[in-house]
Amino acid sequence: MARWGRWTALGAAAALLATGCGGGSGASGDGDGSGDGRGSTADAPASTGSSATTGAAIAPPASLTGQKLHWGRCKDTTDSAAPDGDWQCATLKTPLDWSRPDGDTIGIALVRARSRASGGDRAGSLLVNFGGPGGSGVSTLPAFGPTFSTLREHYDLVSWDPRSVGASEGVRCRSDKEIQAAESLDYTPDTPEEERAFFQDATGFGKGCAKAAGKLMAHASTTDTARDMDLMRQVLGDRKMHYFGISYGTELGGVYAHLFPKNVGRVVLDAVVDPTADAVGHAQNQARGFQRALDDYLESTGEDPKKGTREIADLLDRLDAAPLPASGGRRLTQTLALTGIVVPLYSEQSWPRLTSALAAAKDGDGTELLALADGYNDRDSSGHYGTSAHAQRVISCLDDRQRPTAEATKKRLAEFEKISPVFGDFLGWDTAGWCHDWPVAGQYDTPEVSAAGSAPILLVGNTGDPATPYEGARKMADELGKGVGVLLTWKGEGHGAYTSGNACVASTVNAYLLKGTVPKDGKVCS
């Protein structure tokens, strides 16, 4: 199943409605190459050949930095239809191994909508990453096109499928049949037999990923993608990197800023990941965040949060022993129910769906919660599953060095359950199972995001964010360094602020991206 722990794509709730396009160059198109953007500053382009604690990279050859992109009509994929309108797709060649840039290459699928501006009004390209890790930008950006329409007045809107995702050498670690079979597992094991099955499944998933990914398994990290981004910048013709990162995309943006601080242009990080937290710390942060969102939801219904939490925890306990029947002959397990509860917490507008689904489940019908879980797990009505969860695991387990043991996890479970009686148990076990027996070693405990010398970076934190709790935004600002991180706070609910429709957040972000107006650090929107 897809992991909602640690961090998640912005589209967790919105993905139920999202449509997109396949990557790759179409047979027809405008035939232009790298674009005519030269950025909004006069600085000369900097080299991609930066280094980091995760390993040095050598500057890519001119055959890559000077490549011509062949933009054309987007194609349908097995998971999504091509978008309507004037969206275009292309493929960027990038090194498989950034320490050997003259070696094998892989294709990175790009999507764009050209700016409506002309001449000096055009600011260049704005790269957008919606999170995950493992989210498809090629599918998601067109779905969010109306949200970013104001920015398109000055920027080409550009997104991509990061390596191992979707149309960019996407990885499928197991079949649909195997995925559905794994849904019957207990992801909060209570017996030695359940625990063995839990860890055996984790081992099997890792082996499936290694077989499917091949050499890419060791070259799909956040650092690799940050270096891909700087190659995109050069090929697109931009002097500076203009970027909008959401959720995990904020970690990616922080890593990019560390690697290439002099290349940072106007960068917005929304729904900010705490860069100081390791895998266990992220799980504990999210237990607090989701419980906080659940409390707010329960209060909105007039219910006492403690009483409501206890009732939901009791429901989940009953499902652990006896899953509920649902439509199509399927069953709502404890883990699927928990995922179904999580999804509406990503957006306040979805809270009524949670009320309806919980009421149905209490009456013995698991259909509504199961439908919510299916949407999150990228399962369609025919039983076909997308691969975002596969890529998410490939990327995050290559990033994370930490591998909590079963014994250490059991010692922490009481602490997790104290933080959240609803979400704690699952998130505690998830730290042990997610990268258990993974075939490739992780790169770091926490990412390096210090960015001395960078231009100001705007961080947007939401006090009611369940997946990336608000406290992470202030910590990211501190880690980026003095004078770099500028914090904007929104007192709202849901995952991500800019897409919420809040006028104060939108006007502040737009003024920064379109005019270069940096708000006062600590500004608050409500």
Side-chain angles (χ1 to χ4, degrees):
M1 63 170 291
R3 183 191 207 189
W4 47 265
R6 185 178 177 213
W7 46 61
T8 322
L10 168 72
L16 303 180
L17 304 174
T19 58
C21 72
S25 171
S28 63
D30 60 16
D32 66 326
S34 61
D36 55 4
R38 289 295 178 266
S40 58
T41 67
D43 300 278
S47 169
T48 304
S50 187
S51 63
T53 56
T54 49
I58 304 169
S63 59
L64 293 180
T65 58
Q67 67 185 285
K68 185 181 180 65
L69 296 177
H70 299 285
W71 294 99
R73 188 168 54 191
C74 298
K75 299 177 181 178
D76 293 344
T77 70
T78 56
D79 295 330
S80 60
D84 296 329
D86 53 359
W87 293 93
Q88 300 173 311
C89 289
T91 300
L92 174 83
K93 288 185 179 180
T94 191
L96 168 67
D97 181 350
W98 269 104
S99 69
R100 297 178 176 85
D102 289 315
D104 294 341
T105 62
I106 57 174
I108 300 295
L110 309 178
V111 67
R112 77 170 180 186
R114 297 300 301 269
S115 171
R116 298 188 182 95
S118 61
D121 291 333
R122 183 176 175 277
S125 304
L126 179 69
L127 269 64
V128 186
N129 181 280
F130 290 92
S136 168
V138 171
S139 296
T140 306
L141 181 59
F144 280 92
T147 303
F148 290 87
S149 61
T150 299
L151 301 177
R152 190 179 169 189
E153 296 300 326
H154 291 270
Y155 292 99
D156 290 349
L157 300 181
V158 179
S159 193
W160 74 103
D161 286 357
R163 46 178 68 205
S164 81
V165 177
S168 297
E169 312 286 338
V171 175
R172 177 172 289 278
C173 302
R174 55 178 36 161
S175 67
D176 290 337
K177 183 178 180 180
E178 290 169 327
I179 296 170
Q180 183 156 336
E183 288 182 345
S184 64
L185 289 171
D186 191 335
Y187 288 84
T188 57
D190 308 299
T191 67
E193 292 76 18
E194 289 178 346
E195 189 176 320
R196 279 195 295 272
F198 174 74
F199 285 113
Q200 285 172 357
D201 179 73
T203 297
F205 194 94
K207 288 180 178 178
C209 291
K211 181 178 180 181
K215 292 180 180 180
L216 186 61
M217 190 78 166
H219 301 290
S221 70
T222 297
T223 302
D224 290 316
T225 295
R227 290 181 171 131
D228 291 343
M229 288 169 60
D230 204 62
L231 180 59
M232 288 179 214
R233 175 191 64 79
Q234 294 181 76
V235 173
L236 291 168
D238 293 317
R239 292 192 179 95
K240 294 288 187 178
M241 168 63 72
H242 305 306
Y243 173 73
F244 201 127
I246 304 169
S247 193
Y248 158 80
T250 66
E251 178 178 321
L252 176 59
V255 170
Y256 177 89
H258 171 70
L259 291 171
F260 311 105
K262 300 298 184 182
N263 295 1
V264 170
R266 297 174 188 174
V267 170
V268 174
L269 305 181
D270 184 6
V272 186
V273 171
D274 178 357
T276 69
D278 59 15
V280 172
H282 277 300
Q284 291 177 336
N285 285 347
Q286 287 207 312
R288 294 185 187 94
F290 281 114
Q291 185 61 52
R292 184 185 298 163
L294 182 64
D295 289 347
D296 291 346
Y297 156 74
L298 290 167
E299 281 190 3
S300 77
T301 68
E303 191 166 3
D304 175 66
K306 288 187 177 180
K307 179 183 176 183
T309 292
R310 186 67 265 161
E311 290 178 354
I312 292 172
D314 289 345
L315 170 65
L316 293 170
D317 286 342
R318 294 195 297 273
L319 290 172
D320 192 22
L324 283 178
S327 63
R330 297 173 66 206
R331 300 188 307 162
L332 178 72
T333 64
Q334 180 192 49
T335 300
L336 287 169
L338 194 59
T339 302
I341 291 168
V342 159
V343 171
L345 294 179
Y346 278 83
S347 170
E348 188 174 6
Q349 287 69 39
S350 298
W351 286 1
R353 293 191 68 183
L354 179 56
T355 299
S356 176
L358 285 173
K362 290 174 183 177
D363 287 340
D365 183 0
T367 300
E368 289 188 50
L369 278 177
L370 183 59
L372 287 167
D374 282 349
Y376 190 91
N377 291 331
D378 211 7
R379 183 188 192 274
D380 66 21
S381 58
S382 69
H384 173 67
Y385 293 80
T387 59
S388 60
H390 305 216
Q392 185 184 34
R393 209 155 172 173
V394 167
I395 296 165
S396 63
C397 291
L398 181 54
D399 283 350
D400 283 348
R401 181 183 295 149
Q402 195 175 23
R403 302 285 192 263
T405 64
E407 292 72 22
T409 296
K410 290 175 185 177
K411 292 178 181 178
R412 295 191 186 102
L413 286 179
E415 182 180 355
F416 272 94
E417 290 166 2
K418 183 178 180 181
I419 294 171
S420 174
V422 171
F423 307 108
D425 199 27
F426 174 87
L427 286 166
W429 277 107
D430 184 65
T431 63
W434 186 250
C435 299
H436 170 75
D437 200 22
W438 199 251
V440 180
Q443 294 185 348
Y444 48 68
D445 293 321
T446 60
E448 178 58 73
V449 299
S450 60
S454 168
I457 294 174
L458 180 58
L459 311 175
V460 189
N462 173 15
T463 57
D465 195 314
T468 52
Y470 171 74
E471 293 80 1
R474 182 72 266 171
K475 292 182 179 179
M476 177 68 84
D478 292 340
E479 291 296 303
L480 286 170
K482 186 176 181 180
V484 178
V486 177
L487 179 59
L488 170 66
T489 298
W490 177 46
K491 292 185 176 180
E493 298 289 344
H495 188 44
Y498 186 78
T499 56
S500 71
N502 180 268
C504 174
V505 171
S507 63
T508 304
V509 171
N510 290 345
Y512 167 73
L513 287 174
L514 300 178
K515 301 178 182 178
T517 304
V518 180
K520 182 179 179 180
D521 184 30
K523 179 177 178 178
V524 178
C525 292
S526 58

